[in-house]
mmCIF file of all heavy atoms in Angstrom:
data_model
loop_
_atom_site.group_PDB
_atom_site.id
_atom_site.type_symbol
_atom_site.label_atom_id
_atom_site.label_comp_id
_atom_site.label_asym_id
_atom_site.label_seq_id
_atom_site.Cartn_x
_atom_site.Cartn_y
_atom_site.Cartn_z
ATOM 1 N N VAL A 1 99.622 89.413 90.486
ATOM 2 C CA VAL A 1 98.224 89.750 90.819
ATOM 3 C C VAL A 1 97.721 91.040 90.036
ATOM 4 O O VAL A 1 96.791 91.104 89.498
ATOM 5 C CB VAL A 1 98.052 89.837 92.371
ATOM 6 C CG1 VAL A 1 96.605 90.453 92.660
ATOM 7 C CG2 VAL A 1 98.266 88.603 93.070
ATOM 8 N N MET A 2 98.710 92.027 90.174
ATOM 9 C CA MET A 2 98.384 93.205 89.539
ATOM 10 C C MET A 2 98.292 93.136 88.016
ATOM 11 O O MET A 2 97.580 93.770 87.274
ATOM 12 C CB MET A 2 99.378 94.303 89.913
ATOM 13 C CG MET A 2 99.213 94.825 91.299
ATOM 14 S SD MET A 2 100.245 96.346 91.719
ATOM 15 C CE MET A 2 101.879 95.505 91.785
ATOM 16 N N SER A 3 99.115 92.197 87.424
ATOM 17 C CA SER A 3 99.069 92.012 85.946
ATOM 18 C C SER A 3 97.818 91.307 85.628
ATOM 19 O O SER A 3 97.145 91.644 84.620
ATOM 20 C CB SER A 3 100.177 91.121 85.550
ATOM 21 O OG SER A 3 100.076 90.749 84.206
ATOM 22 N N ALA A 4 97.238 90.412 86.370
ATOM 23 C CA ALA A 4 96.043 89.682 86.146
ATOM 24 C C ALA A 4 94.816 90.582 86.271
ATOM 25 O O ALA A 4 93.900 90.422 85.521
ATOM 26 C CB ALA A 4 95.783 88.550 87.208
ATOM 27 N N LEU A 5 94.907 91.539 87.073
ATOM 28 C CA LEU A 5 93.807 92.509 87.292
ATOM 29 C C LEU A 5 93.997 93.940 86.690
ATOM 30 O O LEU A 5 93.177 94.849 86.904
ATOM 31 C CB LEU A 5 93.569 92.794 88.873
ATOM 32 C CG LEU A 5 93.139 91.401 89.591
ATOM 33 C CD1 LEU A 5 93.005 91.859 91.105
ATOM 34 C CD2 LEU A 5 91.872 90.864 89.132
ATOM 35 N N ALA A 6 94.993 94.115 85.942
ATOM 36 C CA ALA A 6 95.314 95.382 85.324
ATOM 37 C C ALA A 6 94.175 95.872 84.497
ATOM 38 O O ALA A 6 94.038 97.294 84.334
ATOM 39 C CB ALA A 6 96.668 95.332 84.536
ATOM 40 N N GLN A 7 93.536 95.150 83.778
ATOM 41 C CA GLN A 7 92.391 95.595 82.931
ATOM 42 C C GLN A 7 91.119 96.090 83.742
ATOM 43 O O GLN A 7 90.359 96.852 83.145
ATOM 44 C CB GLN A 7 92.042 94.539 82.006
ATOM 45 C CG GLN A 7 91.026 94.995 80.990
ATOM 46 C CD GLN A 7 90.713 93.814 79.931
ATOM 47 O OE1 GLN A 7 91.326 92.867 79.833
ATOM 48 N NE2 GLN A 7 89.562 93.996 79.221
ATOM 49 N N TYR A 8 91.126 95.684 85.101
ATOM 50 C CA TYR A 8 89.927 95.904 85.724
ATOM 51 C C TYR A 8 90.176 96.797 87.094
ATOM 52 O O TYR A 8 89.192 97.180 87.723
ATOM 53 C CB TYR A 8 89.312 94.620 86.230
ATOM 54 C CG TYR A 8 89.418 93.553 85.155
ATOM 55 C CD1 TYR A 8 90.351 92.503 85.096
ATOM 56 C CD2 TYR A 8 88.446 93.605 84.150
ATOM 57 C CE1 TYR A 8 90.454 91.603 84.115
ATOM 58 C CE2 TYR A 8 88.505 92.637 83.036
ATOM 59 C CZ TYR A 8 89.542 91.657 83.119
ATOM 60 O OH TYR A 8 89.619 90.653 82.073
ATOM 61 N N VAL A 9 91.462 96.998 87.459
ATOM 62 C CA VAL A 9 91.774 97.770 88.631
ATOM 63 C C VAL A 9 92.906 98.726 88.341
ATOM 64 O O VAL A 9 93.912 98.365 87.634
ATOM 65 C CB VAL A 9 92.228 96.822 89.748
ATOM 66 C CG1 VAL A 9 92.722 97.616 91.015
ATOM 67 C CG2 VAL A 9 91.132 95.880 90.069
ATOM 68 N N ASP A 10 92.696 99.941 88.709
ATOM 69 C CA ASP A 10 93.896 100.941 88.632
ATOM 70 C C ASP A 10 94.607 100.933 90.020
ATOM 71 O O ASP A 10 94.034 101.280 90.991
ATOM 72 C CB ASP A 10 93.316 102.300 88.384
ATOM 73 C CG ASP A 10 94.421 103.396 88.253
ATOM 74 O OD1 ASP A 10 95.549 103.007 88.468
ATOM 75 O OD2 ASP A 10 94.020 104.561 88.107
ATOM 76 N N PHE A 11 95.849 100.354 89.918
ATOM 77 C CA PHE A 11 96.567 100.238 91.241
ATOM 78 C C PHE A 11 97.318 101.501 91.564
ATOM 79 O O PHE A 11 97.875 101.637 92.725
ATOM 80 C CB PHE A 11 97.552 99.143 91.058
ATOM 81 C CG PHE A 11 96.857 97.702 91.050
ATOM 82 C CD1 PHE A 11 96.527 97.135 89.942
ATOM 83 C CD2 PHE A 11 96.554 97.184 92.398
ATOM 84 C CE1 PHE A 11 95.940 95.902 89.895
ATOM 85 C CE2 PHE A 11 95.973 95.878 92.397
ATOM 86 C CZ PHE A 11 95.634 95.240 91.224
ATOM 87 N N GLY A 12 97.322 102.520 90.754
ATOM 88 C CA GLY A 12 97.838 103.868 90.965
ATOM 89 C C GLY A 12 99.246 103.654 91.727
ATOM 90 O O GLY A 12 100.074 103.184 91.071
ATOM 91 N N ASP A 13 99.372 104.308 92.881
ATOM 92 C CA ASP A 13 100.584 104.380 93.473
ATOM 93 C C ASP A 13 100.708 103.210 94.690
ATOM 94 O O ASP A 13 101.376 103.421 95.589
ATOM 95 C CB ASP A 13 100.959 105.717 94.120
ATOM 96 C CG ASP A 13 99.814 106.089 95.139
ATOM 97 O OD1 ASP A 13 98.738 105.401 95.218
ATOM 98 O OD2 ASP A 13 100.043 107.152 95.864
ATOM 99 N N VAL A 14 100.061 102.083 94.440
ATOM 100 C CA VAL A 14 100.176 100.977 95.365
ATOM 101 C C VAL A 14 101.563 100.610 95.684
ATOM 102 O O VAL A 14 101.921 100.399 96.806
ATOM 103 C CB VAL A 14 99.292 99.794 94.935
ATOM 104 C CG1 VAL A 14 99.626 98.589 95.714
ATOM 105 C CG2 VAL A 14 97.734 100.077 95.050
ATOM 106 N N ARG A 15 102.357 100.515 94.680
ATOM 107 C CA ARG A 15 103.794 100.229 94.900
ATOM 108 C C ARG A 15 104.445 101.219 95.810
ATOM 109 O O ARG A 15 105.145 100.749 96.730
ATOM 110 C CB ARG A 15 104.502 100.097 93.520
ATOM 111 C CG ARG A 15 104.237 98.943 92.695
ATOM 112 C CD ARG A 15 105.124 98.858 91.399
ATOM 113 N NE ARG A 15 104.901 97.678 90.756
ATOM 114 C CZ ARG A 15 104.061 97.580 89.672
ATOM 115 N NH1 ARG A 15 103.201 98.572 89.482
ATOM 116 N NH2 ARG A 15 103.892 96.452 89.025
ATOM 117 N N GLU A 16 104.143 102.454 95.656
ATOM 118 C CA GLU A 16 104.694 103.489 96.588
ATOM 119 C C GLU A 16 104.239 103.252 97.982
ATOM 120 O O GLU A 16 104.934 103.422 99.005
ATOM 121 C CB GLU A 16 104.396 104.881 96.069
ATOM 122 C CG GLU A 16 105.037 105.953 96.903
ATOM 123 C CD GLU A 16 104.748 107.342 96.331
ATOM 124 O OE1 GLU A 16 104.377 107.438 95.164
ATOM 125 O OE2 GLU A 16 104.946 108.286 97.004
ATOM 126 N N GLN A 17 102.892 103.020 98.029
ATOM 127 C CA GLN A 17 102.327 102.831 99.376
ATOM 128 C C GLN A 17 102.832 101.666 100.170
ATOM 129 O O GLN A 17 103.235 101.725 101.293
ATOM 130 C CB GLN A 17 100.779 102.630 99.247
ATOM 131 C CG GLN A 17 99.999 103.766 98.577
ATOM 132 C CD GLN A 17 98.447 103.324 98.478
ATOM 133 O OE1 GLN A 17 98.086 102.523 99.165
ATOM 134 N NE2 GLN A 17 97.925 103.930 97.332
ATOM 135 N N ALA A 18 103.076 100.629 99.407
ATOM 136 C CA ALA A 18 103.630 99.409 99.908
ATOM 137 C C ALA A 18 104.968 99.446 100.351
ATOM 138 O O ALA A 18 105.436 98.722 101.251
ATOM 139 C CB ALA A 18 103.485 98.145 98.930
ATOM 140 N N THR A 19 105.774 100.366 99.812
ATOM 141 C CA THR A 19 107.180 100.432 100.040
ATOM 142 C C THR A 19 107.435 101.560 101.013
ATOM 143 O O THR A 19 108.611 101.805 101.461
ATOM 144 C CB THR A 19 108.106 100.656 98.809
ATOM 145 O OG1 THR A 19 107.513 101.858 98.086
ATOM 146 C CG2 THR A 19 107.944 99.485 97.888
ATOM 147 N N THR A 20 106.422 102.359 101.461
ATOM 148 C CA THR A 20 106.616 103.520 102.326
ATOM 149 C C THR A 20 106.195 103.120 103.653
ATOM 150 O O THR A 20 104.936 102.870 103.931
ATOM 151 C CB THR A 20 105.905 104.748 101.803
ATOM 152 O OG1 THR A 20 106.312 105.011 100.523
ATOM 153 C CG2 THR A 20 106.143 105.917 102.814
ATOM 154 N N PRO A 21 107.055 102.846 104.628
ATOM 155 C CA PRO A 21 106.451 102.259 105.951
ATOM 156 C C PRO A 21 105.495 103.361 106.643
ATOM 157 O O PRO A 21 105.652 104.464 106.620
ATOM 158 C CB PRO A 21 107.830 102.300 106.902
ATOM 159 C CG PRO A 21 108.989 102.255 105.825
ATOM 160 C CD PRO A 21 108.441 103.014 104.637
ATOM 161 N N GLY A 22 104.429 102.734 107.169
ATOM 162 C CA GLY A 22 103.500 103.560 107.966
ATOM 163 C C GLY A 22 102.537 104.253 107.094
ATOM 164 O O GLY A 22 101.645 104.976 107.537
ATOM 165 N N THR A 23 102.563 104.033 105.765
ATOM 166 C CA THR A 23 101.672 104.772 104.799
ATOM 167 C C THR A 23 100.208 104.234 104.951
ATOM 168 O O THR A 23 99.986 103.061 104.818
ATOM 169 C CB THR A 23 102.057 104.747 103.339
ATOM 170 O OG1 THR A 23 103.376 105.253 103.240
ATOM 171 C CG2 THR A 23 101.104 105.450 102.485
ATOM 172 N N GLN A 24 99.281 105.127 105.143
ATOM 173 C CA GLN A 24 97.902 104.785 105.100
ATOM 174 C C GLN A 24 97.141 105.762 104.159
ATOM 175 O O GLN A 24 97.461 106.850 104.253
ATOM 176 C CB GLN A 24 97.322 104.928 106.563
ATOM 177 C CG GLN A 24 98.016 104.059 107.658
ATOM 178 C CD GLN A 24 97.628 102.596 107.413
ATOM 179 O OE1 GLN A 24 96.827 102.158 106.544
ATOM 180 N NE2 GLN A 24 98.356 101.721 108.208
ATOM 181 N N THR A 25 96.242 105.186 103.477
ATOM 182 C CA THR A 25 95.482 105.923 102.494
ATOM 183 C C THR A 25 93.980 106.024 102.817
ATOM 184 O O THR A 25 93.332 106.615 101.991
ATOM 185 C CB THR A 25 95.713 105.239 101.202
ATOM 186 O OG1 THR A 25 95.128 104.043 101.102
ATOM 187 C CG2 THR A 25 97.079 105.223 100.742
ATOM 188 N N ASN A 26 93.593 105.362 103.884
ATOM 189 C CA ASN A 26 92.149 105.393 104.155
ATOM 190 C C ASN A 26 91.997 105.376 105.694
ATOM 191 O O ASN A 26 92.738 104.591 106.266
ATOM 192 C CB ASN A 26 91.424 104.158 103.445
ATOM 193 C CG ASN A 26 89.940 104.257 103.517
ATOM 194 O OD1 ASN A 26 89.377 104.355 104.659
ATOM 195 N ND2 ASN A 26 89.247 104.268 102.409
ATOM 196 N N SER A 27 91.107 106.160 106.137
ATOM 197 C CA SER A 27 90.898 106.130 107.590
ATOM 198 C C SER A 27 90.499 104.718 108.210
ATOM 199 O O SER A 27 90.780 104.421 109.374
ATOM 200 C CB SER A 27 89.793 107.083 108.015
ATOM 201 O OG SER A 27 88.578 106.774 107.452
ATOM 202 N N ALA A 28 89.901 103.882 107.303
ATOM 203 C CA ALA A 28 89.592 102.581 107.801
ATOM 204 C C ALA A 28 90.753 101.683 108.024
ATOM 205 O O ALA A 28 90.652 100.695 108.768
ATOM 206 C CB ALA A 28 88.639 101.844 106.726
ATOM 207 N N ALA A 29 92.029 102.096 107.528
ATOM 208 C CA ALA A 29 93.187 101.376 107.625
ATOM 209 C C ALA A 29 93.559 101.330 109.068
ATOM 210 O O ALA A 29 94.462 100.521 109.409
ATOM 211 C CB ALA A 29 94.149 101.746 106.660
ATOM 212 N N SER A 30 93.303 102.280 109.844
ATOM 213 C CA SER A 30 93.684 102.355 111.254
ATOM 214 C C SER A 30 92.924 101.519 112.116
ATOM 215 O O SER A 30 93.268 101.309 113.275
ATOM 216 C CB SER A 30 93.662 103.876 111.669
ATOM 217 O OG SER A 30 92.291 104.291 111.671
ATOM 218 N N THR A 31 91.833 100.873 111.565
ATOM 219 C CA THR A 31 90.936 100.016 112.304
ATOM 220 C C THR A 31 91.368 98.664 111.970
ATOM 221 O O THR A 31 91.492 98.302 110.766
ATOM 222 C CB THR A 31 89.547 100.236 111.989
ATOM 223 O OG1 THR A 31 89.208 101.554 112.378
ATOM 224 C CG2 THR A 31 88.590 99.317 112.812
ATOM 225 N N PRO A 32 91.568 97.651 112.888
ATOM 226 C CA PRO A 32 91.894 96.247 112.621
ATOM 227 C C PRO A 32 90.912 95.690 111.668
ATOM 228 O O PRO A 32 89.659 95.987 111.886
ATOM 229 C CB PRO A 32 91.895 95.572 114.016
ATOM 230 C CG PRO A 32 92.187 96.648 114.942
ATOM 231 C CD PRO A 32 91.497 97.975 114.396
ATOM 232 N N LEU A 33 91.402 94.913 110.660
ATOM 233 C CA LEU A 33 90.433 94.430 109.712
ATOM 234 C C LEU A 33 89.403 93.573 110.386
ATOM 235 O O LEU A 33 89.736 92.732 111.243
ATOM 236 C CB LEU A 33 91.347 93.511 108.742
ATOM 237 C CG LEU A 33 92.153 94.335 107.835
ATOM 238 C CD1 LEU A 33 92.933 93.375 106.958
ATOM 239 C CD2 LEU A 33 91.566 95.418 107.047
#
């Protein structure tokens, strides 16, 4: 997915976010989707 969207999206440290338990990067993340 990241390869398909690499030209259009900067995923930055998403890999680090995804592998770090409990990491939240936006206050909205604490609200159920």
Side-chain angles (χ1 to χ4, degrees):
V1 173
M2 287 190 285
S3 176
L5 298 178
Q7 185 178 343
Y8 319 101
V9 178
D10 181 358
F11 288 93
D13 59 351
V14 165
R15 284 188 175 85
E16 181 180 345
Q17 297 175 32
T19 56
T20 303
T23 300
Q24 298 290 355
T25 59
N26 189 300
S27 58
S30 61
T31 300
L33 296 178

